Amino acid sequence: MTATVEPGDVAAHTRPNLFEIDLGAISELTRHIRSHVGKAVTIFAALKCNAYGFGLVPVARTVLAAGADALSMVDPANAIELRRSGITAPILAVSYTHLTLPTILRV
């Protein structure tokens, strides 16, 4: 018997991927960077695209606890999500936004 796959059959085209994110490894790497550059250097952890798919809020909390001073990202919506989750560290949004400063501050 031959299985046929229809072009619109999404289930037949997906691959069962599993990613295990080791926050301990992310923490260790951040501490290593901090020990290498010293306390006089400001570390901005780049967390674009949902922390590269690893989970924005958990990774942000991990790198900040391990020695990062600030966070940077492309999407202002990610910055808003971090603020709503209680993260108060400085955030650099490195992109254009149509939002005005008063609109951002109200969020």
Side-chain angles (χ1 to χ4, degrees), residues 70-94:
L71 306 168
S72 66
M73 58 208 53
V74 173
D75 189 348
N78 287 168
I80 291 168
E81 181 181 348
L82 291 173
R83 288 291 184 246
R84 288 182 174 162
S85 74
I87 291 175
T88 59
I91 297 173
L92 174 64
V94 289

Side-chain angles (χ1 to χ4, degrees), residues 21 26 46-60 73 78:
I21 307 310
I26 293 171
L47 302 180
K48 65 182 211 163
C49 301
N50 190 24
Y52 298 92
F54 296 159
L56 182 67
V57 174
V59 172
M73 58 208 53
N78 287 168

Side-chain angles (χ1 to χ4, degrees), residues 4 9 27 38 44 51 58-59 61 63 67 69 83 93-94 99-100:
T4 59
D9 186 1
S27 179
F44 277 80
V59 172
R61 288 189 174 133
V63 296
D69 302 296
R83 288 291 184 246
V94 289
L99 301 175
T100 63

Side-chain angles (χ1 to χ4, degrees), residues 18-26 51-55 58-59 62:
L18 173 66
F19 295 94
E20 293 184 17
I21 307 310
D22 186 346
L23 293 175
I26 293 171
Y52 298 92
F54 296 159
V59 172
T62 298

